[in-house]
Amino acid sequence: MCYDVIMDPVTISLAMGVASKAFSAIKQGFAVGRDIEQMSGDIGRWMGAVSDVDNAEKQAKNPPLFGKLFKAGSIEEAALAAYAAKKKLEEQRYELKIFLNMTHGPQAYDELLHMEGQIRKDRQRTVYKQQQLRRQIGEGIAWLFLVLVVGGFILLVASIWFKKAHADGYKYKPKSLTRQQKINNGTIILPVMTTCRLKIQKVFKDKMACIYVGAQKTYELEFTDIHIGCPRKYKCKLNPNGKEPSIDQVMESLRSISK
């Protein structure tokens, strides 16, 4: 029995056909008095088919992701076919157990179970592992093809849009940033402010010079009219370790302003 056990209803039906044919041969053998050794070939084919149906049912219960996405209907059909096949095989197994118990005793059925276990192991090692490898390779190729198709479609759409945009003379212009956005990204750096307090004020004619001092020796010199006067304090830019204006320079500046 050298067919591939692929998870589909047709293959499950094929396995059931092999099992039913082998089971009919086994029943005929018992009817004419043949012993187990003479029917080993038919028994082996029947057990192989049983193992194949069990394997198909396991695949139906745990299908690959690609099958879940694109072959959900086939998986459901395979699961139903495997379930019906297992029920039929259970009936055949029960009949086979009765035949063996009546003709060869209970020990013969235990030996049959041992033989079946060995057949399952052999098929798992030789047949099912190779089929699983082929399925994995096939699924990998299918996913690769799908990725290439989707990627190609995206590139095609992007190419059409790009050509259309250039044909219409469209040029992309980035949106201007607001002042707050420029502050957030560091394009505009706000100065550090401090409170400058009035330290000295000088008067010359109708003008006044106001000297202010702030944190970290920040000094500011402001000029104003006498009727306005010098504010007691205001917010000024932090300028650490500044040089305090001299009184002589202040008076000289006042004289030059008053001319």
Side-chain angles (χ1 to χ4, degrees):
M1 186 166 46
C2 56
Y3 57 88
D4 287 340
V5 182
I6 308 301
M7 188 186 61
D8 63 75
V10 175
T11 306
I12 294 173
S13 297
L14 178 60
M16 278 304 301
V18 173
S20 297
K21 187 176 180 180
F23 185 72
S24 296
I26 295 171
K27 289 176 65 176
Q28 293 176 3
F30 280 122
V32 298
R34 297 174 62 188
D35 55 26
I36 295 179
E37 288 77 10
Q38 292 174 318
M39 295 184 294
S40 59
D42 294 326
I43 293 175
R45 283 191 294 274
W46 182 83
M47 290 180 174
V50 171
S51 177
D52 292 343
V53 171
D54 288 342
N55 184 61
E57 185 187 36
K58 291 178 182 178
Q59 294 178 42
K61 290 181 178 179
N62 188 27
L65 178 60
F66 193 87
K68 290 180 180 179
L69 294 176
F70 300 102
K71 296 182 179 181
S74 298
I75 292 173
E76 292 178 358
E77 291 179 9
L80 291 174
Y83 177 79
K86 284 200 68 174
K87 289 298 182 182
K88 182 65 176 178
L89 291 173
E90 287 175 2
E91 295 175 4
Q92 294 179 359
R93 180 186 295 277
Y94 179 75
E95 290 186 48
L96 184 59
K97 181 178 180 180
I98 297 298
F99 281 131
L100 287 174
N101 288 339
M102 291 178 61
T103 57
H104 296 81
Q107 185 177 358
Y109 184 71
D110 293 338
E111 293 176 357
L112 193 68
L113 291 179
H114 177 74
M115 183 190 305
E116 184 179 4
Q118 188 60 46
I119 289 175
R120 287 178 183 270
K121 291 180 182 179
D122 293 341
R123 293 188 70 78
Q124 178 65 39
R125 185 175 59 254
T126 59
V127 178
Y128 305 148
K129 185 174 290 186
Q130 294 177 7
Q131 292 169 357
Q132 182 180 9
L133 178 61
R134 288 197 295 270
R135 281 193 296 272
Q136 290 173 344
I137 293 174
E139 187 178 30
I141 294 173
W143 278 113
L144 177 61
F145 177 76
L146 181 62
V147 170
L148 291 175
V149 170
V150 174
F153 177 75
I154 293 174
L155 289 176
L156 177 62
V157 172
S159 175
I160 294 173
W161 179 87
F162 182 79
K163 290 179 180 179
K164 186 177 184 303
H166 279 266
D168 295 341
Y170 171 79
K171 291 184 179 179
Y172 173 74
K173 294 181 180 179
K175 185 178 179 181
S176 299
L177 298 178
T178 63
R179 184 174 184 275
Q180 186 59 48
Q181 289 174 328
K182 291 180 179 179
I183 293 173
N184 293 339
N185 65 19
T187 304
I188 296 178
I189 300 177
L190 296 177
V192 180
M193 306 300 291
T194 184
T195 300
C196 287
R197 304 180 188 277
L198 182 63
K199 182 179 181 182
I200 300 173
Q201 57 183 5
K202 293 293 182 180
V203 180
F204 184 80
K205 295 184 179 180
D206 60 344
K207 301 294 182 182
M208 294 187 68
C210 313
I211 299 176
Y212 293 88
V213 61
Q216 301 181 30
K217 297 182 179 180
T218 296
Y219 291 98
E220 291 290 341
L221 174 62
E222 301 289 344
F223 296 98
T224 183
D225 293 333
I226 193 170
H227 67 276
I228 296 177
C230 297
R232 303 301 299 174
K233 60 182 179 178
Y234 75 101
K235 287 291 183 180
C236 61
K237 182 179 178 181
L238 181 66
N239 185 21
N241 301 318
K243 183 178 180 182
E244 182 178 359
S246 68
I247 299 299
D248 295 336
Q249 290 177 344
V250 170
M251 295 306 297
E252 183 62 30
S253 298
L254 281 173
R255 293 188 189 97
S256 63
I257 292 174
S258 300
K259 291 180 181 180

